[in-house]
Amino acid sequence: MQKLYVDAAAALDGLLFDGMTICAGGFGLCGIPERLIDAIEAAGTRDLTIASNNAGIDGVGLGKLLRSRQVKKMISSYVGENKEFERQYLSGELEVEFCPQGTLAERCRAGGAGIPGFYTKTGVGTQVAEGKEVKSFDGEDYILERGIRADLSIIKGWKADEAGNLIFRKTARNFNQPMATAGRICVAEVEEVVPVGSLDPDQIHLPGIYVKRMIVGAPYEKKIEFRTVRERA
């Protein structure tokens, strides 16, 4: 199967529809699928539910889709850097499902593994537990969390071979890996594609069986969320 596409628009052709659910990889601004997000913005797909660790920052990453009003609901664990997110949430324009970070990662991993739900102590006795089933195990209370399944996963990798076997780099591995498996179809953008057999099998983070389509997105500009400097002594 030919997995490598010429650009993000071609890789997403036929996969986007209004009201769909998308799992998006990335951690802060690290390892976000920038080219694929740009293509979704250009396509104008609306009423999206997006599961992601964060919502980018204003005008960067998923912040672009918030700016264009294409997102109906966010399932996220951290959204503190996005003023437009705050504005839409407080005005009732955006539905938000806040989820503890480890729980979000496990919900996506579980969805990808075919596990519809699991019990966790995280959030017991807090607002996170409201409306959720509580069950006691060995005298301890746990809440039921549902696995997440998406219509589409969009992820960013460092290096891949032509079969889609993929390596993440450092922090980018945090959420890209579980998000990749949670989608019915996974589209990846990577910095480099090498011939099959070039990668050490023991170094593969995501087997190519999960990656249906792929693009080379390089070159990238490294964006910084916060730049903190000291005055010269």
Side-chain angles (χ1 to χ4, degrees), residues 102-186:
T103 300
L104 178 61
E106 178 59 16
R107 288 180 68 188
C108 293
R109 190 209 67 82
I115 300 170
F118 60 91
Y119 288 94
T120 176
K121 283 186 66 65
T122 305
V124 170
T126 73
Q127 289 183 335
V128 171
E130 290 181 3
K132 297 175 182 176
E133 178 187 331
V134 179
K135 192 168 183 177
S136 179
F137 294 89
D138 300 321
E140 301 276 355
D141 285 344
Y142 294 76
I143 58 175
L144 177 65
E145 293 282 2
R146 295 295 305 272
I148 293 176
R149 288 291 293 166
D151 301 297
L152 173 69
S153 294
I154 54 173
I155 64 167
K156 160 80 183 302
W158 174 49
K159 186 181 293 187
D161 65 19
E162 294 163 337
N165 297 302
L166 194 149
I167 297 174
F168 301 109
R169 189 168 187 270
K170 299 184 177 180
T171 309
R173 185 178 177 184
N174 284 2
F175 271 90
N176 274 295
Q177 190 171 28
M179 293 298 185
T181 64
R184 183 176 59 85
I185 294 178
C186 175

Side-chain angles (χ1 to χ4, degrees), residues 22 37-38 40-42 45 48 50 61-71 88 154:
I22 298 175
I37 291 171
D38 287 345
I40 293 171
E41 181 185 23
T45 313
L48 299 173
I50 300 181
L62 292 174
K64 294 182 177 181
L65 300 183
L66 288 172
R67 180 182 60 191
S68 59
R69 307 294 197 278
Q70 291 172 251
V71 183
Q88 290 187 26
I154 54 173

Side-chain angles (χ1 to χ4, degrees), residues 17-126:
F17 57 90
D18 291 349
M20 70 186 303
T21 297
I22 298 175
C23 278
F27 192 77
L29 296 184
C30 177
I32 59 175
E34 300 176 44
R35 308 292 179 250
L36 295 170
I37 291 171
D38 287 345
I40 293 171
E41 181 185 23
T45 313
R46 308 195 68 80
D47 296 327
L48 299 173
T49 295
I50 300 181
S52 173
N53 163 254
N54 66 94
I57 61 177
D58 293 290
V60 181
L62 292 174
K64 294 182 177 181
L65 300 183
L66 288 172
R67 180 182 60 191
S68 59
R69 307 294 197 278
Q70 291 172 251
V71 183
K72 178 183 70 174
K73 177 180 178 179
M74 285 293 306
I75 305 173
S76 296
S77 58
Y78 180 70
V79 294
E81 312 306 332
N82 195 310
K83 296 298 184 184
E84 179 60 18
F85 184 107
E86 178 185 22
R87 190 197 66 76
Q88 290 187 26
Y89 173 56
L90 293 178
S91 66
E93 300 173 38
L94 178 68
E95 183 181 351
V96 179
E97 182 180 336
F98 285 114
C99 184
Q101 189 157 272
T103 300
L104 178 61
E106 178 59 16
R107 288 180 68 188
C108 293
R109 190 209 67 82
I115 300 170
F118 60 91
Y119 288 94
T120 176
K121 283 186 66 65
T122 305
V124 170
T126 73

